[in-house]
Amino acid sequence: MHRRTNEDRIFDFINILVLSLIAIVTTYPFYYMVVISFNNGLDSTLGGIYFWPRSFTLDNYTEFLNDPKWMQSFFVSIARTIVGAFITIWFTCLAAYGLAYKNLKFQKLYYSFFIIGMYTAGGLIPYYVVLRGLGLLNTFWVYVIPGAINIFFLIVAVSFFKEIPAEMEESAKMDGASDLKIYYKLILPVSKPLLAAMGLFVGVGQWNSWLDSAYFVNNNSLRTLTYRMMEIINQGMSPLDAESAERAAAVTGVTTFSMQITAMVIAVLPILCVYPFLQKYFVKGIMLGSVKG
Amino acid sequence: MWSDIKRQKYAHMFVLTGMLIVFIFQYLPMFGILMAFKQYSITSGIKGIFTSQWVGLKYFVEFFNAYNFEQMVKNTIGISLLKLVFTFPVPILLAIMLNEVRSRFFKRFVQTVSYFPHFISWIVVSGLLVIFFSTNSGIVNDALLSLGIIDEPIALLSDPDYFWGLAVGSAMWKEAGWWTIIFLAAISGLDPSQYEAAEIDGAGRMKRIWHITLPGIRGTIVVVLILAVGSLLGGGLVGSNFEQSYLLGNVMNNEKSEILQTYAFKMGLAQGRYAFATAIDLLQSLIAIVLVFGSNYISKKTTKSGLF
C-alpha cells in the first residue's frame, strides 16, 4: 500500500535533515556551556574549545560552592521555588475546589471576578506601590505571596475538579465525611496530574524569575541566582571588583566569565532533572489551558 | 438561601480567600492608573493615588516630546512586528514537519529537545548569546572567521544594526518549539481516513499537507494568531520584549534596543518618576487592548472564528 515514491524519499531526506539541524542548534549551546564549566577559566578565554574541555578542572564548581554570595542566592532560589510552588498550589486549588462546588451560590459572579482579574493589570508602578503599601518590599514574601492565586491554573483546576465523578463525593458524604475531609482525602489524591503540571510551571517560573528580585528587593541576602547572573550580564563589574577578580583568576584560573557559565549550568540543571518525568504532564497542561482559556 | 450558604460555608470561605488575594494583587493596582494623571509622590502611599492633585495629560505630553520618542516607538513596533512575521509561521511549519516523521523515536526526540529552551530563563539565554556571539573567541565569530566568510569579528551584541535580528532570532530559538505543541495536537486530531483517501487518489506529500493538514488546523491557527497579535507589544508568542531589551540592550546598541517598556522601567523604578512611567505603561496597555479586540473583530468578519 505505502509505496515510497521519489517525492517521498526527497521529502523525508530534507525533513529529517532540517529537524536534525534544529535539534543540534537547540542542544549544542547547553552542551557547550557544560564543557566550558569544566574547563580552566583562563584557558577558556583563548577560545577554540568546541566539544570537550581542553584543560579539565573542577575549580569553577568548587569556587561556586565556596562563594557565600553565589551559594546564598542559590538557596534563596531553591527556597522560593519550593515555598512558592507550595503556596500557589495550596491557595489556587482550595479556591478552585470552592468554585467547583456543586450548586454553589454566586458561582457565576465569583467566576467572572477571577476571569476579569486575569485581564486586568495596572502596570509595574502601581503594582510596586501596592507591594510597598503592604510592606512586602525587601522581604522573602514578595517572591511567593503575590502569585498565591494563579488564575490560569485556577480555571484549569475548576474544570478538572468538576470532572471527578460526583458519586465519589456523595458516597463519602453518606459516610459522614466533611467537605474538608473530602477535599484532602479524596479530591487531592486523584488530582495528581493536575498538581504535577502546576508544580512544574509554577516551580520553573519561580526558579527562573529575576525581575522581582531586581525591582522589589535591594537586600543582598535575598537576591536570587538568576539575579546574580543578570548582574554579570547586564551591569558589568565595578573596577574594584574587576581587579580582585583578575588577581583571583591568576591564581585559580577561575574567571568571572567561567563562574557565570558555571552558574548557568547550575541554573539549568534542576530543570533538566525534572523535565523528562514531567513532560507528559506539561503537554496535557498546556492543552487543557489552551482549550479552556 | 442562607441555609444554602451555611451548608456551603467552606466553599465560600475558600473562594473568598482567593478573591481577596486576586483583589489585592490584580484589581488594586488597576486604581493606580489614576497616577498617570496625577502629581503622585511615593511617600503618600496607596492613599496618595486617590488624594494627590490632578495634572491632566501633562505626562503624556511630556512623553510625546521626549527626545527619543520616535525611535522608541519605532523599536517597539518594529521588533514586535518582525517577531510576529518570522516566528508565527515557524511553529506551524515545525509541527507539520514533525508530523511527517515516521520514526516515533526521532519525532519524540526532536519534540523533547525543541520544547526545552522554553523552560530556561532569559537570563541564561542571554548568557548563552554573550558566550556564542562575543567578538573575543565567541564560537560564531570563530567559525565565520575560519571559514573565511568574514575578515574580522562582527560585534553582534553591541552593533545597533544587529539588535533587531538578535532579538527575533533568539526569541525564535527559545519559544518556537513550545508553540508547536498546540499545532501538533491539532494535527493529531485530524481524521486519518482523509489522508488515506487522498493517497489513493494519488496526492503526494506536499499536496496532502496543503489540502488536508493546513485547512484542518485553520481554526487553531486563527486562535493562536489572535493571541499573538493581542500580545504583540509584549513580544507576542515568543516571550518578553522587555527582558530581551533589558538584558541585551547596552549603551552601544541603545538606539535600536530601547523600547517603551525599558524606558518606562528606567523612568519609573530606576529614576523614581512614578507617575510618568505609569502614563507610558497605560498608553501601552491601551494599544494592546485595541490590538486584541481589533484582531478578534477582523478574524470574526473574515473567518467566522475568534477568541470571544
Side-chain angles (χ1 to χ4, degrees), chain A residues 94-109:
Chain A
L94 262 185
Y97 174 63
L99 266 180
Y101 204 90
K102 226 167 75 193
N103 301 323
L104 183 78
K105 282 262 167 216
F106 313 125
Q107 194 172 36
K108 275 233 163 79
L109 191 78

Side-chain angles (χ1 to χ4, degrees), chain A residues 1-4 7-8 11-12 14-16 18-20 22-23 25-30 32-33 44-50 91 94-95 97-99 101-106 109-110 112-114 116-118 120-134 136 145-146 148-149 151 178-180 183 200-201 204 208 210-211 214-216 226-227 229-230 233-235 257 260-261 264 267-268 271-272 275 279 282-283 286-287 290 293, chain B residues 1 4-5 7-12 14-33 35 40 42-46 49 94 96-98 100-102 106 108-124 126-128 130-132 136-137 139 142-143 173 178-179 181-182 185-186 196 199-200 203-209 242-243 246-249 264-265 268-269 273-275 277-278 281 285 307:
Chain A
M1 165 85 211
H2 285 288
R3 208 164 43 82
R4 276 167 62 84
E7 187 203 355
D8 271 340
F11 185 100
D12 281 335
I14 296 175
N15 196 25
I16 288 177
V18 173
L19 287 174
S20 305
I22 291 173
V25 170
T26 315
T27 39
Y28 181 70
F30 295 110
Y32 181 75
M33 179 170 101
S44 299
T45 55
L46 302 174
I49 301 169
Y50 304 116
F91 283 100
L94 262 185
Y97 174 63
L99 266 180
Y101 204 90
K102 226 167 75 193
N103 301 323
L104 183 78
K105 282 262 167 216
F106 313 125
L109 191 78
Y110 289 162
S112 14
F113 181 89
F114 286 110
I116 295 169
M118 191 150 83
T120 56
L124 178 66
I125 304 296
Y127 188 63
Y128 176 83
V129 171
V130 168
L131 295 180
R132 189 173 182 273
L134 292 169
L136 283 172
I145 289 183
I149 295 282
I151 302 176
S178 68
D179 283 348
L180 277 177
Y183 175 67
L200 174 74
F201 278 101
V204 168
N208 283 337
W210 62 276
L211 285 166
Y215 293 172
F216 308 134
T226 43
Y227 177 86
M229 286 189 265
M230 186 274 282
I233 296 171
N234 204 40
Q235 294 170 347
F257 184 63
Q260 186 206 338
I261 294 172
M264 280 161 61
V268 171
I271 299 173
L272 192 63
Y275 186 69
Q279 203 195 2
F282 74 64
V283 174
I286 192 181
M287 287 325 297
S290 67
Chain B
M1 176 178 159
D4 269 355
I5 293 178
R7 193 170 46 77
Q8 306 168 336
K9 63 175 183 289
Y10 282 118
H12 285 280
F14 298 157
V15 177
L16 289 171
T17 313
M19 283 166 72
L20 182 70
I21 297 171
V22 169
F23 178 79
I24 293 173
F25 295 108
Q26 296 291 134
Y27 282 81
L28 214 48
M30 277 292 284
F31 295 109
I33 287 175
M35 278 196 295
Y40 178 78
I42 189 79
T43 48
S44 58
I46 299 180
I49 293 172
L94 206 59
I96 290 172
M97 289 172 76
L98 280 166
E100 297 290 330
V101 172
R102 282 155 210 233
F106 182 71
R108 260 199 87 81
F109 173 73
V110 178
Q111 269 181 275
T112 307
V113 161
S114 67
Y115 303 160
F116 186 65
H118 171 76
F119 291 92
I120 304 303
S121 146
W122 267 113
I123 300 271
V124 171
S126 309
L128 284 172
V130 173
I131 301 170
F132 274 79
N136 167 29
S137 78
I139 237 173
D142 268 12
W173 180 83
W178 179 246
W179 284 92
I181 296 181
I182 283 188
E196 280 156 31
E199 205 175 341
I200 292 168
R205 295 283 273 280
M206 297 306 276
K207 276 230 163 88
R208 273 175 273 159
I209 290 172
F242 174 81
E243 288 192 57
Y246 187 76
L247 293 169
L248 298 171
F265 169 75
L269 289 189
R273 305 202 51 202
Y274 296 97
T278 305
D281 267 349
S285 312
L307 261 187

Side-chain angles (χ1 to χ4, degrees), chain B residues 15-268:
Chain B
V15 177
L16 289 171
T17 313
M19 283 166 72
L20 182 70
I21 297 171
V22 169
F23 178 79
I24 293 173
F25 295 108
Q26 296 291 134
Y27 282 81
L28 214 48
M30 277 292 284
F31 295 109
I33 287 175
L34 289 175
M35 278 196 295
F37 309 96
K38 289 192 159 202
Q39 189 74 49
Y40 178 78
S41 144
I42 189 79
T43 48
S44 58
I46 299 180
K47 218 175 53 206
I49 293 172
F50 304 98
T51 56
S52 45
Q53 257 191 344
W54 293 96
V55 293
L57 297 176
K58 181 184 155 195
Y59 296 117
F60 293 91
V61 174
E62 188 187 334
F63 175 51
F64 293 137
N65 291 324
Y67 76 98
N68 52 352
F69 174 77
E70 210 174 300
Q71 188 63 47
M72 275 186 312
V73 171
K74 253 188 218 160
N75 293 342
T76 312
I77 293 173
I79 293 173
S80 303
L81 281 180
L82 269 181
K83 274 192 185 169
L84 184 72
V85 170
F86 282 99
T87 60
F88 178 69
V90 171
I92 302 172
L93 261 174
L94 206 59
I96 290 172
M97 289 172 76
L98 280 166
N99 186 55
E100 297 290 330
V101 172
R102 282 155 210 233
S103 150
R104 282 186 72 88
F105 172 79
F106 182 71
K107 183 180 167 188
R108 260 199 87 81
F109 173 73
V110 178
Q111 269 181 275
T112 307
V113 161
S114 67
Y115 303 160
F116 186 65
H118 171 76
F119 291 92
I120 304 303
S121 146
W122 267 113
I123 300 271
V124 171
V125 176
S126 309
L128 284 172
L129 287 170
V130 173
I131 301 170
F132 274 79
F133 292 143
S134 134
T135 41
N136 167 29
S137 78
I139 237 173
V140 172
N141 272 315
D142 268 12
L144 293 176
L145 281 172
S146 59
L147 289 173
I149 297 174
I150 50 171
D151 295 327
E152 51 187 276
I154 312 174
L156 286 152
L157 294 163
S158 50
D159 188 332
D161 288 347
Y162 295 110
F163 186 82
W164 289 14
L166 192 71
V168 174
S170 57
M172 192 151 34
W173 180 83
K174 188 171 184 296
E175 304 291 343
W178 179 246
W179 284 92
T180 61
I181 296 181
I182 283 188
F183 294 113
L184 263 178
I187 293 173
S188 69
L190 297 178
D191 183 3
S193 64
Q194 281 192 342
Y195 287 98
E196 280 156 31
E199 205 175 341
I200 292 168
D201 290 346
R205 295 283 273 280
M206 297 306 276
K207 276 230 163 88
R208 273 175 273 159
I209 290 172
W210 190 253
H211 293 292
I212 300 173
T213 313
L214 272 175
I217 60 172
R218 190 162 54 201
T220 312
I221 293 177
V222 169
V223 168
V224 175
L225 185 62
I226 297 172
L227 284 174
V229 173
S231 56
L232 192 69
L233 289 191
L237 300 179
V238 290
S240 171
N241 281 351
F242 174 81
E243 288 192 57
Q244 283 189 318
S245 284
Y246 187 76
L247 293 169
L248 298 171
N250 50 46
V251 191
M252 274 95 75
N253 64 21
N254 199 38
E255 60 175 287
K256 290 285 187 177
S257 66
E258 187 85 288
I259 56 174
L260 295 179
Q261 291 102 313
T262 48
Y263 185 67
F265 169 75
K266 283 171 196 163
M267 288 296 128

